[in-house]
Structures are given as C-alpha cells and as structure tokens.
Amino acid sequence: MARDWLLQCEECTDGVMLTDTRDAYFQSDPFEYIEEPHPIMVFEEMFPNITTNHWLTNIPVEQCRETTILANESLPMLCSGSTMGSREGILEYIDVMVKEFDYWKERENCRSDMVGDDQAIHNYVFYNKQLKGAVAIPHRTGAIHVVGYMADKIFRKVIRKRVKMGLSEDKFEAEEYVN
C-alpha cells in the first residue's frame, strides 16, 4: 500500500516515514530534525537492553535462513515500526522487505504464528546488508525516539500492580492507569 501510494504521488520527493505510531514518540517535526539525510534510516531499540540475540529476531532468522547472523549481543535490535528515508530509499526498502516476506511465506520452516515477525525480517535485511545506503540511528538520538520496549515494561508492571490490588489484568482497563 505505501509503495503504491509513493509511486502514484509524483510530487512526493522529500523524506518519507513508515511508522506504526504505536511506539514512536515525536518531540518535534522529524523531517526538520534530520541533520544528515540517508536513503534509509532505521532506528535502534533500547540498546544494550535489547539486542538481535532476542528470541523475537534471532530464533525466526536462525530457523528460516539457517544463519546465526543475529545471535550477537553486540548488535542493537532495530525497530521494524520506524523507518525513514528518501523516496527512492523507502521504495527500495519496501521492495527488499516484500521480497524477503515472500521468501518466508513460501517456506514451511519460515512460517510463524508469533506477532512481530516483521521485526526479524527487518533486522535480517539490515544486518545482512540488503539495504543499500541504510544507516542505523542509535536509540534516543534520531528523529524518531522508539519507546516500545520501555513502554511495554512499564505497562506490564502496571498490570501486575493492578492484579495485586485485586483488579482485572485486562490490558484495556489497565491503559487508564498509564495514560
């Protein structure tokens, strides 16, 4: 969908952002913040707390691609929900991701029922150097501040506290205690 929109929008020549907005926090206009533009910018999660050796990325990639490229405590986990770049860079990113998704979809050993398999693919294509000119922006230093990992830890703590208080652990009811 994003690819089709970009291809149809000929006047869209500036920067492009793909984000799920669930765990991105903007303190200002992210496009004005970029000091040095790159064709593709991916954003690190809370490193060193979370690395590519995490089960969300390492296990699926090892199972599907039969490589331990992500079994490394020194590689920061990249957020698949936040990518920025030039129009051309983002079109390339989408093409690479779609090609990799197609590869995973065609092989039984690559299929998974877990939520977040895009995170494994996103990290694999970056660290496998399939994204030309892509750079990883360190946590809390770029145009997008990824808060998903930390926000999840806080949210789970709130749910545990609610249960101790005799309240429901329903995540929708717990949201009023966080926001």
Side-chain angles (χ1 to χ4, degrees):
M1 187 167 89
R3 182 181 187 283
D4 294 342
W5 176 80
L6 273 174
L7 289 173
Q8 291 171 6
C9 183
E10 293 179 19
E11 65 273 7
C12 299
T13 58
D14 274 348
V16 176
M17 176 189 302
L18 302 176
T19 183
D20 58 16
T21 68
R22 180 175 167 241
D23 59 359
Y25 179 74
F26 304 100
Q27 298 182 61
S28 63
D29 180 343
F31 294 102
E32 289 181 12
Y33 183 84
I34 298 169
E35 294 174 12
E36 185 180 344
H38 298 278
I40 302 171
M41 293 174 280
V42 295
F43 296 86
E44 294 179 6
E45 295 275 3
M46 194 173 168
F47 182 74
N49 299 56
I50 185 165
T51 69
T52 56
N53 197 36
H54 190 277
W55 60 266
L56 185 60
T57 51
N58 182 41
I59 293 172
V61 169
E62 202 171 308
Q63 181 178 327
C64 179
R65 286 304 203 153
E66 298 177 356
T67 180
T68 57
I69 189 171
L70 300 182
N72 188 330
E73 290 292 337
S74 66
L75 294 177
M77 170 89 74
L78 305 172
C79 176
S80 61
S82 301
T83 304
M84 291 179 73
S86 66
R87 181 179 192 274
E88 295 76 21
I90 294 298
L91 285 169
E92 178 193 332
Y93 171 79
I94 293 169
D95 287 344
V96 169
M97 288 292 285
V98 167
K99 182 178 176 185
E100 192 64 25
F101 267 107
D102 287 344
Y103 178 92
W104 286 51
K105 160 173 91 173
E106 293 167 2
R107 288 160 180 80
E108 190 67 36
N109 63 311
C110 298
R111 294 190 191 138
S112 169
D113 289 335
M114 76 176 187
V115 176
D117 56 353
D118 60 324
Q119 191 98 339
I121 293 171
H122 178 79
N123 279 266
Y124 174 74
V125 298
F126 177 80
Y127 287 114
N128 200 36
K129 307 205 183 311
Q130 293 181 31
L131 302 171
K132 294 180 213 129
V135 295
I137 308 298
H139 182 65
R140 297 187 70 180
T141 66
I144 299 175
H145 176 190
V146 178
V147 297
Y149 174 76
M150 196 58 177
D152 183 64
K153 286 181 72 164
I154 293 167
F155 192 58
R156 290 177 191 275
K157 184 177 179 180
V158 166
I159 290 173
R160 286 192 301 273
K161 185 176 180 180
R162 283 179 49 81
V163 170
K164 283 182 183 177
M165 294 168 49
L167 300 171
S168 166
E169 65 179 86
D170 180 88
K171 66 181 181 181
F172 298 107
E173 290 180 22
E175 280 185 358
E176 68 186 64
Y177 286 83
V178 178
N179 296 324

